[in-house]
Amino acid sequence: MLVENDAPLAPLTTLRLGGPARRLVTAHTDDEVIAAVREADAAGEPLLVLGGGSNLVIGDAGFPGTVLRIATTGFALDGTVLELAAGEVWSTAVTRAVREHRLAGIEFLAGIPGSAGATPVQNVGAYGQEVAQTITEVVAYDRTADEVVTLTSAECAFSYRHSRFKAEPDRYVVLRVRFALADHDGLSSPVKYAEVAKHFGVEQGERVPLERAHDAVVGLRSGKGMVLDPADHDTWSAGSFFTNPVLTAAQYESFRTRPGTENAPAYPAPDGCTKTSAAWLIDKAGFGKGYGSGPATLSTKHTLALTNRGSATAEDLLALAREIRDGVREVFGVELVNEPVMVGVKL
C-alpha cells in the first residue's frame, strides 16, 4: 500500500483537472482496499474511491480527506464466466475477452476508459449494450455492515446509468465483478444500435464477426474523441457529460410543443417514458462541436463531451456546463443532468 500526502489528483483523471488529495492511498489487493476504508471510517474522515478517473470532476480545492486509488488486478475465466478485479483496466479486459477468448457480451463496450469496478456503479453502456445485461454478481465491501458481501444482478438495482452503488455512494466499495459472457462461435451479440448496424450493412438483431464488432466500436468511439489519446485534447474529457433525458409522458408532450422538435430523436423508455438525445438538444440549442473560446470547450468531435484544452480549471469546465444546461432548458424546457460524479463541486 502506497500512501502520499498532498498528492495531485488531476493526472489521475481523464479530464486532467482538479486540486490535490490531502492523503492518497494506492491499494493493490482487496485486503489493502478494505484496510484503507476501515482506517478512514474509523478516523471519521471523508473518503473518495478512485478507479480510472474517467467519470469524475474534482473541484479545484481538491479533496480534504483520503482518496483511495484501487489498483487491484485480476482477470479470471471459468468457462464463460469472467471475474475482474475492480482495478482492472476496462478497455484492456474487453479486448482480452474478445481477442484471446472469443467471448461475446461486452464487445460493444470496447474502448470505454476507466476501471472494471466502476462499470456496475454507473451501469456503463454504449452502442446498445449495458453491463447490467451480463453482470451476474458484484463482490463489494459493505461499509455499513463492515463485511464483504456478494450482490446478485437483481440486488444491484440497475437502471439507465444508475445502480444501487450510485444510489448509496458511501456504503459499498466494489472489489470484484462477475460477468456471464457467451460463446457464439466467433460472432457478436445481436447488433442493437442503428449506427453499428449501418456500419456493417446488416439489420438490427443480426450478429457480426466478434472482433470486427469490437474494432468497429473502437473506431466509432475514436472518431468522436471517446478513446483516450494524450496528444488529442478532444479526449481530455469525462466522456458524455450529460445523460440522455428520460421524459415522462407529460414532459414529452410539453417538449413536442417547442419549435423545432418535430424530428427530435425519441426512444421508448420504461413506465411510458420517452428517452431523447442530449447531444441533439445541445446542438440544436446552439452549442455545436468546438463551442467555447476559453480553456474548456465542447469537443470538436462530439457535442456531449466537455473538454480541457490543456489549462482549464474545474470552474472553467463547470461554467461551460452551466451555460449549456441553462441554454437547453431555455430553448427546450428540458433539464440536462450531469453524468460524471462531482467531487467538491456541483452544477
Side-chain angles (χ1 to χ4, degrees):
M1 191 184 304
L2 176 64
V3 180
E4 304 169 79
N5 295 316
D6 197 28
L9 292 176
L12 304 181
T13 72
T14 55
L15 271 166
R16 305 187 187 201
L17 50 73
R22 185 190 67 77
R23 181 170 178 263
L24 174 65
V25 177
T26 301
H28 296 91
T29 68
D30 288 353
D31 287 343
E32 289 181 355
V33 170
I34 294 168
V37 175
R38 283 176 171 158
E39 182 181 352
D41 286 348
E45 68 175 0
L47 176 70
L48 171 65
V49 178
L50 180 67
S54 61
N55 196 48
L56 199 62
V57 179
I58 297 174
D60 295 319
F63 191 74
T66 293
V67 174
L68 171 58
R69 185 185 184 196
I70 298 182
T72 55
T73 57
F75 181 107
L77 200 59
D78 181 6
T80 57
V81 176
L82 174 64
E83 179 178 287
L84 296 177
E88 279 288 326
V89 176
W90 174 251
S91 60
T92 301
V94 173
T95 299
R96 285 187 65 183
V98 169
R99 294 200 187 285
E100 295 180 21
H101 304 285
R102 293 170 61 79
L103 293 176
I106 53 176
E107 65 275 18
F108 295 111
L109 305 178
I112 294 177
S115 63
T119 61
V121 178
Q122 189 74 4
N123 184 17
V124 165
Y127 295 106
Q129 274 186 344
E130 291 180 335
V131 291
Q133 297 165 350
T134 49
I135 288 178
T136 58
E137 293 179 327
V138 175
V139 180
Y141 173 62
D142 183 338
R143 297 165 67 184
T144 301
D146 187 24
E147 64 180 2
V148 175
V149 297
T150 299
L151 302 176
T152 65
S153 180
E155 290 171 328
C156 292
F158 290 122
S159 59
Y160 174 62
R161 300 297 177 270
H162 200 69
S163 69
R164 181 174 184 175
F165 310 105
K166 194 170 182 179
E168 300 180 76
D170 297 324
R171 179 169 180 179
Y172 298 101
V173 178
V174 175
L175 301 174
R176 294 185 297 278
V177 188
R178 297 179 181 131
F179 302 83
L181 304 183
D183 184 347
H184 296 309
D185 294 324
L187 294 178
S188 71
S189 305
V191 176
K192 295 182 179 179
Y193 202 75
E195 185 179 8
V196 177
K198 182 179 179 181
H199 175 86
F200 283 107
V202 300
E203 297 294 324
Q204 290 172 260
E206 294 184 39
R207 302 180 192 272
V208 297
L210 182 61
E211 289 193 20
R212 288 186 61 200
H214 170 282
D215 294 349
V217 165
V218 172
L220 290 170
R221 291 185 63 85
S222 295
K224 298 174 182 178
M226 295 292 187
V227 176
L228 295 180
D229 179 354
D232 182 0
H233 285 289
D234 277 335
T235 73
W236 290 31
S237 77
S240 297
F241 196 87
F242 297 105
T243 58
N244 289 322
V246 177
L247 308 177
T248 65
Q251 289 172 332
Y252 184 64
E253 188 65 28
S254 175
F255 167 68
R256 290 300 303 272
T257 66
R258 300 274 179 151
T261 59
E262 298 82 5
N263 298 316
Y267 310 97
D271 302 320
C273 294
T274 300
K275 182 166 67 175
T276 190
S277 166
W280 186 92
L281 294 171
I282 291 168
D283 182 63
K284 300 304 180 184
F287 306 102
K289 296 174 184 177
Y291 178 86
S293 57
T297 73
L298 285 181
S299 165
T300 66
K301 302 180 180 74
H302 200 297
T303 55
L304 261 186
L306 278 66
T307 66
N308 173 6
R309 308 317 292 184
S311 61
T313 64
E315 194 50 45
D316 291 328
L317 187 89
L318 291 170
L320 176 64
R322 293 178 188 120
E323 181 184 2
I324 293 169
R325 177 202 60 189
D326 294 348
V328 168
R329 183 201 300 124
E330 181 178 348
V331 174
F332 294 114
V334 174
E335 187 79 14
L336 292 180
V337 176
N338 56 281
E339 185 167 327
V341 175
M342 300 286 175
V343 177
V345 292
K346 63 180 181 179
L347 284 185

